[in-house]
Amino acid sequence: MKSLAAVAVAAATLAALATGQEAVAAPNGSAGPVITCGTPGAPGFLLTRACVEVNGNQVRFYGVAATANSGWQPQQVGFTVSGTVVGGAPIAPINPTVLVQAGATSVGSIVTTVPCGSTVTGGFSVNQWGWPPSTATVSAVVSC
C-alpha cells in the first residue's frame, strides 16, 4: 500500500509540473520561452516527463524525474535525453548521470536552433542498469 501511495504522490508532483501536453507562455503576452511537457512515462522507481522549451527558433530538450517512493534516498541515476527535428536528422543524445534528491529534478539540456515552423520531438528515459524502463516523449511546434 505504501508503494501505491508513493506512486500517487509522485504522479501528483509530475502533474503539477505540467498536465498532459500543455504549453506555458511568458506572462503579459511578452516574447519569451514556451515550455511543453509530455505525459509521464511508465511508473518505476522514478516518474519521467520529457519537456521542450522553445524561445524563437532556439529549442532546449530536457527531462524531469520525480521520485516515486517516500523513502527515497538521494542517489546517482543515469538518464538519456534526446531530440529530433521531424523530417530532419536526429540530434545526438546525451546520457547524464544526475544526483536525484526527493521530489522533482530537472535533467539534461540539449540546445539547438531549428527552422521556424518545424516540429520537434524530445525523449527522456531512465538509463540505469537493473531498473525498469520509464520513457517519456513530447512534441512541439517551433512557431517563432
Side-chain angles (χ1 to χ4, degrees):
M1 281 308 229
K2 284 185 182 181
S3 176
L4 288 175
V7 169
V9 168
T13 300
L14 280 176
L17 293 172
T19 303
Q21 283 199 8
E22 66 183 34
V24 180
N28 301 328
S30 62
V34 175
I35 298 170
T36 305
C37 294
T39 57
F45 296 113
L46 294 172
L47 297 175
T48 58
R49 187 178 293 260
C51 297
V52 174
E53 179 180 309
V54 177
N55 192 1
N57 66 342
Q58 298 289 310
V59 177
R60 179 172 80 100
F61 300 95
Y62 66 100
V64 176
T67 56
N69 181 335
S70 61
W72 178 266
Q73 294 298 311
Q75 58 187 292
Q76 296 285 335
V77 180
F79 296 94
T80 298
V81 178
S82 61
T84 302
V85 178
V86 175
I91 300 161
I94 60 171
N95 297 294
T97 298
V98 176
L99 178 63
V100 177
Q101 306 280 349
T105 302
S106 181
V107 178
S109 190
I110 299 174
V111 178
T112 190
T113 302
V114 302
C116 295
S118 299
T119 298
V120 295
T121 301
F124 178 60
S125 60
V126 173
N127 187 17
Q128 186 72 19
W129 185 86
W131 285 23
S134 181
T135 301
T137 61
V138 63
S139 293
V141 174
V142 180
S143 60
C144 298

